[in-house]
Amino acid sequence: VALKRMLNFNVPPVKNSTGEPVWKVLIYDRFGQDIISPLLSVKELRDMGITLHLLLHSDRDAIPDVPAVYFVMPTEENIDRMCQDLRNQLYESYYLNFISAISRSKLEDIANAAIGANAVTQVAKVFDQYLNFITLEDDMFVLCNQNKELVSYRAINRPDITDTEMETIMDTIVDSLFCFFVTLGAIPIIRCSRGTAAEMVAVKLDKKLRENLRDARNSLFTGDTLGAGQFSFQRPLLVLVDRNIDLATPLHHTWTYQALVHDVLDFHLNRVNLEESTGMESSPTGARPKKKNKKSYDLTASDKFWQKHKGSPFPEVAESVQQELESYRAQEDEVKRLKSIMGIEGEDEGAISMLSDNTAKLTSAVSSLPELLEKKRLIDLHTNVATAVLEHIKSRKLDVYFEYEEKIMTKSTLDKSLLDMISDPDAGTPEDKMRLFLIYYISSAQAPSEIDLEQYKKALTDAGCDLAPLSYIKQWKAFTKMASAPTSYGNTTPKPLGLFSRVMNTGSQFVMEGVKNLVLKQQNLPVTRILDNLMEMKSNPETDDYRYFDPKMLRGSDSSVPRNKNPFQEAVVFVVGGGNYIEYQNLIDYIKAKQGKHVLYGCSELFNATQFIKQV
């Protein structure tokens, strides 16, 4: 909504106005591009009158009679470039929107340039948009994508980090969170764990919100913005969690659709990039093998299939794609049949009048064609994506890994020794084996003995694993207080339903033989459990000493005692140090069962296990 308002020159768009939109140009930097692209498609931009969208630092031609909307970070180089645009008189008028608040001195630089270029009257508006975060779903956001290594897990947890570096990282995170709450139009009540990076974020965010509220003239939380958010009557709870409370989940192999896509495919800012494998049989012997086509698909909120099934276990997704395909084929045949009837007897007037009821059928068939084509596009898209995921599952035995890790995390009996899993040459990549071992290491109540450890290390090395992450996890485990009581992950394991017999007997696209049909049981991961305690005001040793901040209180107090005793309706969970789709999905499943409650999930960056293991 905030973006649409900005693109409409910061006036809320009027519904059902008949006139053409005002044509304009959109100029953004990489940050702006990352914020807009998951939310608005090119077509939607065009409907709002954006004829051209260009990067700020590209070579742009002057378009003297068109207004330009800028959406950029207030960095030195961006400002220099904007001043240059003013001097070159590129556009008719300039609407300058900064993603994050611009400093006084930089504003003066722009003003000086405008005076120098005699363009003061053309700078129509300058706005701080406070949109420095990327929304991926209605209930999920991530901080930034461009310089994400600056706020990565590794950056925060480096042993040799200096205080000033840490301050900078924390300020970056706080700036984005502040933007997030300005856009929501709500002031949260903040809870965080003590002695972690999350606590530093909480202290700074509390201070920043507090200062903004005190400054009555410039407060961003007054009047028309407040209550414009969805959360008008009750304040949301913000739970700041540190990644270190749970390192097993980001390494875990997963079984739900969205998390699998993120784990095994190249899935980034809601776009998945696939290499299409071309058929082998078409190339004659001796010919060069065909190049693989790269295809990218957007998985967005408008994709109904994705919205419905992104949290489903993979076997269910395969089944649903198949059903969609069959129902589409039935409709397609119907259209063809009607057309042929019309085509044959279309000459004779009398025949057509007899066909009047068919005509009605045909009109409805024709009018539903665009809808059918869109359906077909989505079916093809998900067939391709699901097939690509399935190839990984089969070649790496991911179903076996998933089930085995769940058993480890829930302390169930194992049907096969860990050494056998590691030394099985057919199961998984070296990285899969490393992930499995690290989960075992993190979840075990006492660390394995040196003798056992040597045995595991040898097996891992033989399997081609890089042992670097182990030394970090070893230190981490020794260092965390959690070592005394490892985080429990509930005690239910997935139940296999027999191998896909029912689904896959008829000519399905998906050859699922040998893949286990595992069904998930809802069990709360650590992050979800912490949220549950704080949101429902349950007393629990895990969260009882969480600090409590209320930026609206005159004096900040260092207490763990919440003033508000009622359960919260709305909550935002933010993981400092990075998050993943497994946790996101777990929160969504948890909140579904709670009537009328909402939860949003945010993280400083979104990584899959491959990216995470590199940082460890």
Side-chain angles (χ1 to χ4, degrees), residues 69-209:
V69 175
Y70 285 74
F71 184 50
V72 295
M73 284 296 256
T75 58
E76 285 290 330
E77 45 184 347
N78 283 355
I79 303 244
D80 291 346
R81 185 60 191 256
M82 288 159 99
C83 296
Q84 193 182 322
D85 287 356
L86 289 172
R87 285 188 213 100
N88 298 342
Q89 301 194 339
L90 286 189
Y91 308 109
E92 174 198 59
S93 55
Y94 303 84
Y95 292 80
L96 309 181
N97 297 283
F98 296 103
I99 295 172
S100 189
I102 183 172
S103 65
R104 181 71 203 233
S105 60
K106 288 183 179 152
L107 256 181
E108 286 168 2
D109 294 344
I110 297 181
N112 288 331
I115 294 168
N118 202 359
V120 179
T121 50
Q122 292 164 304
V123 180
K125 288 184 178 166
V126 181
F127 269 89
D128 287 331
Q129 287 295 347
Y130 293 101
L131 288 174
N132 190 12
F133 56 94
I134 301 173
T135 307
L136 294 177
E137 312 263 349
D138 289 344
D139 43 20
M140 178 180 203
F141 67 100
V142 24
L143 288 199
C144 62
N145 170 46
Q146 286 305 319
N147 307 355
K148 62 168 180 252
E149 57 287 341
L150 298 179
V151 294
S152 65
Y153 176 80
R154 168 177 273 173
I156 299 172
N157 291 284
R158 284 207 335 260
D160 56 349
I161 189 165
T162 63
D163 286 355
T164 42
E165 286 173 313
M166 195 64 172
E167 290 285 318
T168 316
I169 294 175
M170 294 300 130
D171 287 340
T172 313
I173 294 179
V174 168
D175 179 66
S176 282
L177 280 171
F178 181 74
C179 289
F180 178 75
F181 285 106
V182 171
T183 306
L184 264 190
I187 295 175
I189 285 172
I190 307 171
R191 302 295 305 265
C192 68
S193 49
R194 293 175 184 268
T196 57
E199 183 176 24
M200 298 169 71
V201 172
V203 172
K204 279 180 177 288
L205 181 61
D206 177 60
K207 180 165 174 271
K208 189 160 183 159
L209 287 166

Side-chain angles (χ1 to χ4, degrees), residues 476-594:
W476 169 83
K477 191 160 174 139
F479 174 73
T480 40
K481 302 195 279 286
M482 305 288 288
S484 54
T487 322
S488 77
Y489 293 87
N491 49 5
T492 49
T493 45
K495 301 203 168 16
L497 280 187
L499 304 177
F500 289 85
S501 46
R502 190 170 61 81
V503 192
M504 303 307 165
N505 41 19
T506 51
S508 163
Q509 307 248 334
F510 299 99
V511 187
M512 287 282 203
E513 293 136 40
V515 176
K516 296 187 178 187
N517 190 357
L518 302 167
V519 179
L520 294 167
K521 286 187 71 176
Q522 169 66 19
Q523 53 192 39
N524 292 340
L525 292 171
V527 170
T528 310
R529 266 210 324 277
I530 290 168
L531 171 80
D532 181 46
N533 292 341
L534 296 173
M535 200 169 173
E536 302 295 338
M537 293 286 167
K538 296 179 180 170
S539 171
N540 186 307
E542 195 176 14
T543 49
D544 281 348
D545 72 331
Y546 270 46
R547 288 187 63 178
Y548 177 91
F549 296 90
D550 182 347
K552 278 193 171 174
M553 290 294 160
L554 277 172
R555 288 177 308 284
S557 61
D558 175 28
S559 78
S560 309
V561 185
R563 293 244 166 91
N564 164 8
K565 290 284 185 279
N566 304 331
F568 286 88
Q569 296 302 309
E570 333 271 352
V572 181
V573 176
F574 186 82
V575 188
V576 179
N580 53 58
Y581 282 111
I582 307 178
E583 268 170 0
Y584 163 66
Q585 193 52 53
N586 194 257
L587 280 169
I588 300 304
D589 291 343
Y590 156 80
I591 212 78
K592 264 187 204 146
K594 309 268 177 204

Side-chain angles (χ1 to χ4, degrees), residues 3-10 20-27 45-53 63 65-69 91-93 95:
L3 281 174
K4 285 183 171 165
R5 192 169 69 203
M6 174 187 87
L7 295 175
N8 200 33
F9 306 123
N10 289 303
E20 287 279 289
V22 180
W23 299 111
K24 47 194 170 278
V25 197
L26 171 64
I27 312 288
L45 288 175
R46 184 150 312 129
D47 294 343
M48 300 181 63
I50 306 275
T51 46
L52 204 57
H53 42 98
I63 312 177
D65 46 0
V66 169
V69 175
Y91 308 109
E92 174 198 59
S93 55
Y95 292 80

